[in-house]
Amino acid sequence: MKRIIGLLLVVVLLSGCAVDSGQMDRALSLRGKIQQKDVSFDVAMTADYGDKLYSFSMSCQSDKLGNMKFTVTEPETIAGISGTVSKGSGKLTFDDKILGFDTMADGLISPVSGPWVLLETLRSGFLTSCSQEGELLRVAIDDSYEEKALHLDIWLNSEDLPQQCDIFWQGRRLLSMEVKNFTFV
């Protein structure tokens, strides 16, 4: 009898933790679109190095293969710096201005590669959970199956487009991004 009661308790507890399949479908639909279409968006970003915060804005364009171009738009002191990011490579171009951001998470990410990590993780990451938070759908995704994966919390608006993203490594938030004007091209 104790086994039956224990089994029933486990079933009740697990059924309360089930993911709403509609929420998961919304996240997977966005993944499919990002895999099939080019995108453009603007991002206001804050990089947290623990002892210092850096804030800047970028305009980004990415193709469906994962190649991204960006241009820094704010602050004015670094506006105009541009670059590209793709799997395994990156390039910065500038005229008399330099971006001096150190890498984060043992070299896994730099602040300017944050938008690329957002798209690449949406495109192929390990989706761990979805939950409704007010008007927004919160999607939790790891960038890989490795033990020291980057973890992303991404909030989708009512049109199922990214609106906010936080990137964590080992429980510490490294980057926070506000996403605007996300469009499929």
Side-chain angles (χ1 to χ4, degrees), residues 3 16 49 54 66 83 86 88 93 98 103 107 121 139-141 149 175 182:
R3 285 185 185 175
Y49 282 90
Y54 295 97
S86 60
T93 57
I98 297 175
T103 60
T121 303
V139 179
I141 307 176
L175 300 173
F182 192 97

Side-chain angles (χ1 to χ4, degrees), residues 61-82:
Q61 299 82 38
S62 181
D63 65 24
K64 61 186 172 189
L65 301 175
N67 303 305
M68 190 182 83
K69 295 178 183 178
F70 68 87
T71 301
V72 177
T73 56
E74 292 181 8
E76 189 175 316
T77 55
I78 59 172
I81 293 176
S82 61

Side-chain angles (χ1 to χ4, degrees), residues 64-123:
K64 61 186 172 189
L65 301 175
N67 303 305
M68 190 182 83
K69 295 178 183 178
F70 68 87
T71 301
V72 177
T73 56
E74 292 181 8
E76 189 175 316
T77 55
I78 59 172
I81 293 176
S82 61
T84 60
V85 181
S86 60
K87 197 170 218 94
S89 71
K91 178 182 175 184
L92 283 176
T93 57
F94 49 87
D95 290 323
D96 74 347
K97 300 173 191 170
I98 297 175
L99 281 178
F101 295 123
D102 291 330
T103 60
M104 307 168 101
D106 286 343
L108 292 175
I109 190 170
S110 71
V112 294
S113 67
W116 180 85
V117 170
L118 166 65
L119 289 179
E120 189 63 20
T121 303
L122 280 170
R123 188 178 285 114

